[in-house]
């Protein structure tokens, strides 16, 4: 349902280099889409939850922006499994880009179902995974099983090249 003059806060993800799905680079600032907005194809799309934006990037280390959608805002059910609410709007403001620590602190506050979505889509170091293991027995089991499955097919279960996060508030 489209709502005029509505303001919605959310998150938008970008590939390395700051490009969105359409290939646009969007630094902090305000943007307007001149044509009719159409869910899943035309307009500026963003998600209510940070973890839901991760499906829209080609990288497991995306840039995540805090955004404000305004003017013509349409709320749509995300078409991807286990994902939340998505919006499309004619006007979006990229308020700021989140730091890695902010992203991890946000994720640590998620319930187990939402956190699993995050863990499936965001590259974490071994030390970061160890911190998330402490969150709940469900998450510990999920992480351990995922690492085992990756190792069983000859993959590398952790990425030691990731910059270690300094302080995750647990």
């Amino acid at each position: 349902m489209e709502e005029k003059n509505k303001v919605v806060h959310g998150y938008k993800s970008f590939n390395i280099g700051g490009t969105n799905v359409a290939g646009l680079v969007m630094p902090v600032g305000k943007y307007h889409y001149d044509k009719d907005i159409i869910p899943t194809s035309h307009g500026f799309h963003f998600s209510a939850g940070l973890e839901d934006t991760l499906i829209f990037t080609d990288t497991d280390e995306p840039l995540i922006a805090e955004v404000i959608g305004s003017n013509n805002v349409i709320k749509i059910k995300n078409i991807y499994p286990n994902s939340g609410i998505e919006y499309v709007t004619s006007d979006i403001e990229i308020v700021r880009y989140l730091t890695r620590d902010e992203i991890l602190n946000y994720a640590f506050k998620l319930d187990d179902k939402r956190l699993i979505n995050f863990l499936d889509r965001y590259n974490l170091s071994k030390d970061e995974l160890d911190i998330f293991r402490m969150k709940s027995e469900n998450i510990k089991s999920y992480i351990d099983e995922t690492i085992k499955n990756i190792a069983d097919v000859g993959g590398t279960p952790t990425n030691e090249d990731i910059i270690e996060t300094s302080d995750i508030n647990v």
Side-chain angles (χ1 to χ4, degrees):
M1 175 169 86
E2 185 173 346
E3 297 185 37
K4 302 271 188 198
N5 301 318
K6 180 175 178 139
V7 174
V8 177
H9 294 258
Y11 300 91
K12 186 168 181 63
S13 60
F14 296 87
N15 294 310
I16 293 172
T19 60
N20 68 4
V21 173
L24 298 173
V25 175
M26 297 177 74
V28 170
K30 294 182 180 184
Y31 301 89
H32 175 74
Y33 188 78
D34 283 338
K35 299 176 183 166
D36 290 338
I37 56 174
I38 301 171
T40 71
S41 64
H42 297 334
F44 296 113
H45 292 76
F46 64 100
S47 300
L50 180 153
E51 67 281 7
D52 295 323
T53 69
L54 300 175
I55 201 158
F56 300 107
T57 59
D58 297 335
T59 178
D60 56 4
E61 294 185 58
L63 300 172
I64 307 290
E66 181 183 321
V67 301
I68 300 172
S70 60
N71 199 5
N72 302 329
V73 178
I74 300 174
K75 180 179 179 180
I76 54 178
K77 174 71 176 116
N78 200 319
I79 60 173
Y80 298 97
N82 299 319
S83 292
I85 301 298
E86 183 184 351
Y87 298 93
V88 60
T89 184
S90 59
D91 294 275
I92 195 164
E93 178 181 358
I94 309 297
V95 177
R96 67 188 185 98
Y97 284 89
L98 302 177
T99 66
R100 187 173 182 87
D101 283 345
E102 289 173 315
I103 293 167
L104 296 176
N105 283 323
Y106 174 98
F108 199 83
K109 296 173 187 170
L110 294 170
D111 63 39
D112 285 1
K113 180 182 173 188
R114 309 300 292 162
L115 180 55
I116 287 171
N117 284 346
F118 175 82
L119 294 172
D120 279 346
R121 301 172 183 152
Y122 197 80
N123 197 6
L124 298 168
S125 70
K126 180 184 180 312
D127 290 342
E128 291 165 346
L129 286 171
D130 287 343
I131 291 169
F132 280 102
R133 269 193 187 96
M134 296 183 297
K135 185 159 173 30
S136 75
E137 191 56 39
N138 286 344
I139 296 301
K140 181 184 182 308
S141 297
Y142 177 80
I143 290 172
D144 292 344
E145 186 65 25
T146 300
I147 289 173
K148 180 187 177 305
N149 290 341
I150 292 169
D152 286 349
V153 295
T156 305
T158 60
N159 181 349
E160 297 299 331
D161 296 328
I162 297 207
I163 298 171
E164 305 262 338
T165 187
S166 56
D167 296 308
I168 297 178
N169 299 326
V170 293

